[in-house]
Amino acid sequence: MSNTVWFLTGNQGKLAEAEHHLKQIGYSVRQLIVDQELVYEPQAENLVTVAKSKINQALNFIPSDFSDGDMILVEDAGLFVDALHGFPGVYSSFVHSTIGNSGMLRLLSHLNSADPVSSANLRSAHFKAIAALWKSDEVIIGEGICPGHISLEAMEGNGFGYDPIFIPYDLDAELNPLSPGNYGEFSTHGKTFGGVDSEIKQKFSHRTKALIDLFNQMPSAS
Ligand code: IMP
């Protein structure tokens, strides 16, 4: 049985994360390198459709050393703001590269309160990631969610994308998110992902949760 997973990504951080998890259950990961210009982001209504489209596109770029039984992994994520009915969602990349974090803060500027818990509720949002694994025409989907809220101002420093404006809810010892106003075992202490180290962000990561959900559905490679 093949235990090679080809990950369609240009991001070395994502590659290392998948390697970390897959190695533990006996799989090896290789990067499926495709010119990013050739992979398009479909205007789909949900991340699963986007991920499946990327798998179909990846199938057109099978490398010559791809063996029978090898698998293809893709992953897609986005930010969903409740007060904006889930926007930017599947449009997260486009929105970030156009209006950016300052534009998102402007869109929500009318939603704030002197009470921090009320503010957090008004500005609630979550990151969602979908990891999809193709094997012999079958697709397994893993999902991960990181709930939190949009900050009142940007906190730059670390991370990428919407990290400077996203504050995750605290987590309990089992890594379950708590509602606003509750202090947990794991906390960014009111800082956005942009204001904390990447090891701390990792604890909350929607991407990690999606990979774990996916890998829980895979048999251990022998
Ligand atoms: P991708 O599918 O991982 O490329 O994510 C799509 C867009 O969502 C990115 O361009 C980012 O703007 C945003 N995004 C996804 N995950 C994160 C994250 O962990 N932090 C900040 N922004 C993210």
Side-chain angles (χ1 to χ4, degrees):
M1 170 174 135
S2 163
N3 65 353
T4 303
V5 174
W6 293 85
F7 189 4
L8 177 71
T9 181
N11 182 321
Q12 295 303 321
K14 288 185 181 183
L15 191 69
E17 203 172 300
E19 266 169 351
H20 169 78
H21 293 291
L22 275 170
K23 225 164 65 190
Q24 296 174 26
I25 53 169
Y27 290 88
S28 68
V29 180
R30 294 185 66 181
Q31 187 177 14
L32 180 55
I33 302 169
V34 177
D35 184 347
Q36 290 300 301
E37 304 277 299
L38 299 176
V39 181
Y40 68 89
E41 196 85 24
Q43 297 293 282
E45 64 185 28
N46 61 59
L47 292 175
V48 172
T49 311
V50 175
K52 285 184 172 168
S53 155
K54 288 195 178 157
I55 283 184
N56 284 330
Q57 296 180 58
L59 289 169
N60 295 322
F61 299 101
I62 295 288
S64 55
D65 46 350
F66 190 94
S67 307
D68 242 12
D70 282 3
M71 291 151 274
I72 296 174
L73 175 67
V74 304
E75 184 251 271
D76 224 81
L79 175 71
F80 296 74
V81 179
D82 293 324
L84 303 177
H85 305 283
F87 183 83
V90 291
Y91 308 107
S92 293
S93 296
F94 175 72
V95 170
H96 194 265
S97 62
T98 49
I99 65 171
N101 288 333
S102 55
M104 285 300 295
L105 291 179
R106 268 198 306 279
L107 283 178
L108 300 179
S109 58
H110 60 297
L111 297 174
N112 77 58
S113 152
D115 169 36
V117 174
S118 303
S119 235
N121 282 323
L122 288 169
R123 301 167 73 87
S124 63
H126 61 271
F127 280 119
K128 186 197 276 189
I130 291 293
L133 186 93
W134 175 94
K135 185 180 181 191
S136 316
D137 283 342
E138 236 189 89
V139 178
I140 308 174
I141 302 288
E143 181 183 287
I145 287 180
C146 170
H149 71 276
I150 304 298
S151 58
L152 293 170
E153 50 192 42
M155 238 177 262
E156 307 284 346
N158 298 308
F160 70 101
Y162 298 100
D163 280 347
I165 60 165
F166 184 83
I167 302 175
Y169 293 160
D170 282 18
L171 304 175
D172 68 17
E174 278 81 46
L175 302 183
N176 299 307
L178 302 168
S179 47
N182 290 299
Y183 295 97
E185 189 82 5
F186 300 100
S187 175
T188 64
H189 302 287
K191 290 185 180 159
T192 67
F193 276 151
V196 298
D197 289 343
S198 63
E199 298 90 81
I200 295 176
K201 181 184 169 189
Q202 204 60 28
K203 287 263 180 261
F204 298 80
S205 170
H206 44 298
R207 230 179 302 284
T208 300
K209 288 182 193 158
L211 286 175
I212 291 172
D213 184 29
L214 181 74
F215 302 152
N216 282 340
Q217 301 170 59
M218 289 166 74
S220 283
S222 44

